[in-house]
Amino acid sequence: MAACAQAPQTASPAAPAERWLGTGDLGLVVERADGRLQVVNTSSRRVLGRIEGLGDLSHASIVYARNGLHAYVFGRDGALSKVNLGERRIEARVQQAGNSIGGAISQDGRLVVAQNYQPGGIKVFDAETLQPLADIPAEYLPGKFSRVVGLADLPGQRFIYALFDADEIWVADLADPRVPKLQKFRNIGRQPYDALVTPDGRHYIAGLFGEDGLAKIDLWAAAPRVERILGGYGRGQEPLPVFKMPHLRGWAVAGRHAYLPAIGRHEVLVVDTETWREVGRIPVQGQPVFVMARPDGRQVWVNFAVPDYDRVQVIDTQTRQIVQTLSPGKAVLHMEFTPRGEAVWISSRDANRVSVIDTASFQTLATLDSASPSGIFFTSRAGKVGL
Amino acid sequence: MAACAQAPQTASPAAPAERWLGTGDLGLVVERADGRLQVVNTSSRRVLGRIEGLGDLSHASIVYARNGLHAYVFGRDGALSKVNLGERRIEARVQQAGNSIGGAISQDGRLVVAQNYQPGGIKVFDAETLQPLADIPAEYLPGKFSRVVGLADLPGQRFIYALFDADEIWVADLADPRVPKLQKFRNIGRQPYDALVTPDGRHYIAGLFGEDGLAKIDLWAAAPRVERILGGYGRGQEPLPVFKMPHLRGWAVAGRHAYLPAIGRHEVLVVDTETWREVGRIPVQGQPVFVMARPDGRQVWVNFAVPDYDRVQVIDTQTRQIVQTLSPGKAVLHMEFTPRGEAVWISSRDANRVSVIDTASFQTLATLDSASPSGIFFTSRAGKVGL
């Protein structure tokens, strides 16, 4: 074996003036109480530094630019911030609403969109500068504005979202962002409270707070329309105590099946994505909040609402059995898989800890100190639709 | 050997400045005739620079480190090079074999493995330094060594590959890379010439040069074994002129169906991945070579062997109809989708051109000058299994 044919290419004694670092294995952890983000590296499993001054980060969410170096942070207080993970600073920031609940980035990375409760609607920004490009109020009746939820990007500079107060789903085509074109689906069901797009971008599914069942749109259909699926899904007539409505965005689609958090019940539902019918239920140790598939779909990881929120359970999708129960620390709020799924990062808010767990052996590979951590977002999200 | 990775560190008193490169939207284009790589940016659609001195790059393939900054280039001449996309230089290089045909990187990014024709076998290297860790000859009978093809990474520091001359498939467990554990599947069919792992990492499928049909292993089974599928797939008894055996690695799995290049026929086959039976055939304008799904699975793009290799056709997977025929330039060798699929990059070797095509409008968004371009590899591959 010949040794490095071309190691030192020149006789120059000088080291390279610049040492470059890559962003493929980076991520952000939200330290919600302090308005701060931790920049983490999933190869070294370490905190590289912090970005401060982001305001109210309760329920904050993050999307990434195509380059993986920039991220957009949607704060609950209506602020939208563009941060640089390398320089660990805020590059741009706008106070764009009074009460905001997340956002999305266009397929080509040029448009960032925030969904707002107050004023109800979406706002569109240039991803480079955060310059406002369009303001689309969710005015469903003259002078009536709805809170917006379930915003997701679709192919072709389009965005889809639900109007909680209007029982509607809108698609905004922003091919020309200054002249948005809207398509409206009405009477989709009472009070859509969250929604998701399947990983292939084909189906949009909204959960309903005001009735049972879910609203589904096949976006690949020649003439998309709303269908009702899973009539039994919801809070039901029985007065079950529901400690937290689950996050739909966490739904797992693994192979042909989707795994859904039951509402108020200690169960994960298994749904066939060809028929959209329930084909099984898996008992778990609490009310599920996030139900997330490992990237290969062979495992589904579940966390829970109070009082069971110190636990995480792992379902094997082949046998539909629980194969592991973990206690990574009190108040597990979020989980994020590394891109190829060998590890999962879990935030335990009240333990002030992020745990890195090996998904094969279930061993804890590392723990990181973190002040009240909530959401964890890795740069690999940049390459995904609907996240 | 550790030396060549870290050029001269002592000469300069000043530590090099750290600079972060957003690596999420970068890629490499192989300029095969010149032993050179172009570093490209898929946001600006430009060539950022070149990396020279890579030797024989015919049939070269590339895998990425987790950080997206480093790539590993497997040359046909048996050289393995670690390149830095930011500094645009070779960081380490080993002449590891006489004739090599690609490689893979472990799920955790720590091991790089090359598959070799001469000497037949695989070799394992430390991804950081390219230090050799293991040499696993494909010795199937005393003194008999097989050429190795179809190497792919599996979860858990494992690699799977086929032995062309031995009709075997081996799985190497490199949890301890200095003490590899081998599992061998024998009599899998005559002359496996290429193979793939499905995107979920579950099925390994090897094409057979010496007979019809394919060998499949369900790697999630409690006791994995070889099954024969698609008995009619292959060159058949009829003496069809086969201008080029198709690349299996290009197989598209879109939703529940796989789209396969027929061998020697002007057809793409549609296979149900639950039954592994053929359910349809789509006529195309030449002998297909690469059959690749857009990331959302709604389109499948096909290129062809001589004499039809100036063309590319697009299949709509909903209708199974050809929806577009493009002529991006003579000798189309490869296609690579951007991570979220809004564009595809196509190399036309004899036109000395890479074309960037909008996958919705089919318009050409940009063309880049490139000297005899062949493979195109984007950093988003770092997050995928089996690529």
Side-chain angles (χ1 to χ4, degrees):
Chain A
M1 191 165 298
C4 32
Q6 343 190 304
Q9 290 187 324
T10 68
S12 165
E18 293 169 340
R19 179 170 164 256
W20 288 85
L21 302 167
T23 52
D25 50 2
L26 299 188
L28 292 167
V29 176
V30 174
E31 294 189 306
R32 62 192 262 161
D34 299 307
R36 195 167 57 199
L37 303 172
Q38 292 180 303
V39 180
V40 297
N41 182 301
T42 64
S43 298
S44 63
R45 299 172 192 141
R46 291 199 309 158
V47 177
L48 302 182
R50 288 180 164 80
I51 304 172
E52 314 255 359
L54 289 150
D56 181 359
L57 292 184
S58 51
H59 215 285
S61 72
I62 292 173
V63 298
Y64 281 95
R66 296 180 91 254
N67 62 12
L69 182 68
H70 294 108
Y72 302 90
V73 186
F74 304 91
R76 189 59 194 261
D77 56 4
L80 165 59
S81 307
K82 179 183 181 183
V83 300
N84 181 313
L85 276 70
E87 298 170 12
R88 286 163 219 156
R89 66 182 182 91
I90 298 172
E91 282 197 2
R93 184 168 161 89
V94 287
Q95 189 65 42
Q96 60 86 28
N99 188 338
S100 180
I101 191 75
I105 186 164
S106 63
Q107 191 184 28
D108 72 355
R110 293 186 188 173
L111 304 175
V112 170
V113 177
Q115 65 180 347
N116 297 322
Y117 278 3
Q118 183 55 47
I122 66 168
K123 288 187 179 171
V124 184
F125 301 88
D126 180 300
E128 182 66 32
T129 62
L130 294 195
Q131 193 112 34
L133 296 177
D135 180 351
I136 308 177
E139 188 175 13
Y140 60 100
L141 285 174
K144 293 276 212 178
F145 300 87
S146 172
R147 286 168 280 184
V148 170
V149 298
L151 176 70
D153 58 286
L154 296 178
Q157 306 302 88
R158 293 179 307 147
F159 293 85
I160 188 166
Y161 51 101
L163 281 63
F164 178 84
D165 303 296
D167 304 344
E168 297 187 2
I169 292 171
W170 291 9
V171 176
D173 184 335
L174 302 174
D176 179 350
R178 298 206 180 262
V179 188
K181 288 191 196 122
L182 294 176
Q183 180 183 13
K184 300 176 183 178
F185 299 88
R186 302 192 197 271
N187 302 312
I188 63 107
R190 284 207 302 282
Q191 298 179 314
Y193 72 94
D194 195 8
L196 69 95
V197 169
T198 51
D200 58 7
R202 175 170 181 174
H203 295 104
Y204 184 71
I205 299 167
L208 301 172
F209 193 77
E211 62 185 284
D212 284 354
L214 297 151
K216 176 179 83 70
I217 300 178
D218 179 352
L219 297 158
W220 291 6
R225 60 193 178 80
V226 174
E227 292 168 271
R228 191 61 58 84
I229 58 168
L230 295 170
Y233 185 79
R235 291 179 299 165
Q237 301 307 313
E238 223 180 314
L240 279 172
V242 178
F243 297 114
K244 182 174 169 59
M245 290 297 279
H247 277 267
L248 296 190
R249 203 60 64 94
W251 276 18
V253 177
R256 151 174 190 172
H257 295 104
Y259 294 77
L260 283 60
I263 295 177
R265 288 186 177 80
H266 292 200
E267 288 172 344
V268 168
L269 311 186
V270 187
V271 172
D272 185 326
T273 61
E274 298 202 357
T275 62
W276 292 100
R277 286 169 193 272
E278 185 185 319
V279 294
R281 295 188 172 222
I282 301 165
V284 290
Q285 286 192 356
Q287 291 185 7
V289 176
F290 279 107
V291 174
M292 308 181 88
R294 198 171 69 174
D296 65 357
R298 195 174 180 182
Q299 291 177 348
V300 165
W301 290 58
V302 187
N303 75 334
F304 304 102
V306 281
D308 304 300
Y309 65 167
D310 59 324
R311 251 167 277 165
V312 167
Q313 291 199 296
V314 184
I315 296 167
D316 176 288
T317 58
Q318 295 275 282
T319 60
R320 297 189 188 159
Q321 302 292 313
I322 302 287
V323 290
Q324 192 73 18
T325 300
L326 298 164
S327 298
K330 205 172 167 187
V332 170
L333 293 192
H334 201 217
M335 302 176 284
E336 178 91 335
F337 290 94
T338 57
R340 287 162 77 184
E342 73 280 5
V344 63
W345 289 46
I346 298 177
S347 59
S348 300
R349 186 193 60 203
D350 296 354
N352 295 305
R353 182 164 66 215
V354 170
S355 304
V356 183
I357 313 269
D358 183 311
T359 63
S361 69
F362 304 112
Q363 287 183 326
T364 301
L365 301 171
T367 58
L368 291 77
D369 292 333
S370 185
S372 299
S374 55
I376 305 174
F377 303 88
F378 294 156
T379 56
S380 50
R381 288 176 172 245
K384 314 262 186 195
V385 165
L387 276 189
Chain B
M1 257 316 282
C4 55
Q6 284 129 8
Q9 290 188 322
T10 50
S12 168
E18 280 195 356
R19 284 195 58 185
W20 286 84
L21 181 64
T23 48
D25 51 3
L26 300 187
L28 292 167
V29 176
V30 174
E31 294 190 306
R32 62 191 261 162
D34 299 306
R36 194 165 60 198
L37 303 173
Q38 292 179 303
V39 181
V40 297
N41 182 301
T42 64
S43 298
S44 64
R45 298 171 193 140
R46 291 199 309 159
V47 177
L48 302 182
R50 288 180 164 80
I51 304 171
E52 315 254 359
L54 288 149
D56 181 359
L57 292 183
S58 52
H59 216 285
S61 72
I62 292 174
V63 298
Y64 282 95
R66 296 181 91 253
N67 62 13
L69 181 73
H70 294 108
Y72 302 89
V73 185
F74 304 90
R76 189 59 196 257
D77 56 3
L80 165 59
S81 306
K82 179 184 182 184
V83 301
N84 181 314
L85 275 69
E87 299 167 17
R88 287 168 217 150
R89 67 181 182 92
I90 298 171
E91 282 197 5
R93 184 167 159 91
V94 287
Q95 188 65 43
Q96 58 88 28
N99 188 337
S100 180
I101 192 75
I105 186 164
S106 63
Q107 190 183 28
D108 71 356
R110 293 185 188 174
L111 304 175
V112 170
V113 176
Q115 65 181 347
N116 298 321
Y117 278 3
Q118 181 56 45
I122 66 169
K123 288 185 179 174
V124 184
F125 302 88
D126 179 301
E128 183 66 31
T129 61
L130 294 194
Q131 190 123 25
L133 296 177
D135 180 352
I136 308 177
E139 188 174 13
Y140 60 100
L141 285 174
K144 294 275 211 176
F145 299 88
S146 172
R147 287 168 279 184
V148 170
V149 297
L151 175 71
D153 57 286
L154 296 178
Q157 307 301 86
R158 293 178 306 147
F159 293 85
I160 188 166
Y161 50 101
L163 281 61
F164 179 86
D165 304 294
D167 304 344
E168 296 187 5
I169 292 171
W170 291 10
V171 175
D173 183 336
L174 302 174
D176 179 351
R178 298 209 180 262
V179 189
K181 289 192 192 120
L182 295 176
Q183 179 182 14
K184 300 177 184 179
F185 299 88
R186 302 191 196 270
N187 301 311
I188 63 106
R190 282 206 302 281
Q191 297 178 315
Y193 71 94
D194 195 6
L196 70 95
V197 169
T198 50
D200 58 7
R202 176 170 180 172
H203 294 105
Y204 185 71
I205 299 167
L208 302 174
F209 193 79
E211 62 185 285
D212 285 353
L214 298 150
K216 177 178 82 70
I217 300 178
D218 179 353
L219 297 159
W220 291 7
R225 60 193 178 80
V226 175
E227 291 168 90
R228 189 62 57 85
I229 58 168
L230 294 169
Y233 185 81
R235 291 179 300 166
Q237 300 306 313
E238 225 179 315
L240 281 171
V242 178
F243 297 115
K244 182 173 168 61
M245 289 297 277
H247 276 267
L248 297 191
R249 202 60 64 95
W251 276 18
V253 177
R256 152 173 188 170
H257 295 105
Y259 295 77
L260 284 58
I263 295 176
R265 290 185 175 80
H266 292 200
E267 287 171 344
V268 168
L269 312 186
V270 187
V271 172
D272 184 327
T273 61
E274 298 202 358
T275 62
W276 293 100
R277 286 169 193 270
E278 185 184 318
V279 293
R281 294 188 173 223
I282 301 165
V284 290
Q285 285 191 357
Q287 291 185 6
V289 176
F290 278 106
V291 174
M292 306 182 89
R294 197 171 70 173
D296 65 357
R298 195 174 180 180
Q299 292 177 348
V300 164
W301 290 57
V302 188
N303 75 333
F304 303 103
V306 283
D308 304 300
Y309 66 167
D310 59 325
R311 249 167 279 166
V312 168
Q313 291 199 296
V314 184
I315 296 166
D316 176 287
T317 57
Q318 295 275 281
T319 61
R320 297 188 188 161
Q321 302 292 314
I322 303 286
V323 291
Q324 191 72 19
T325 300
L326 298 164
S327 298
K330 203 170 168 187
V332 170
L333 293 192
H334 200 218
M335 303 177 284
E336 178 91 335
F337 291 93
T338 56
R340 287 163 76 185
E342 72 280 3
V344 63
W345 289 46
I346 298 177
S347 59
S348 299
R349 186 192 61 202
D350 295 353
N352 295 304
R353 181 161 68 215
V354 171
S355 304
V356 183
I357 314 270
D358 184 312
T359 61
S361 69
F362 304 113
Q363 287 183 326
T364 301
L365 302 171
T367 57
L368 291 77
D369 293 334
S370 185
S372 300
S374 55
I376 305 175
F377 302 88
F378 294 156
T379 55
S380 49
R381 288 175 173 247
K384 314 261 187 196
V385 165
L387 278 187

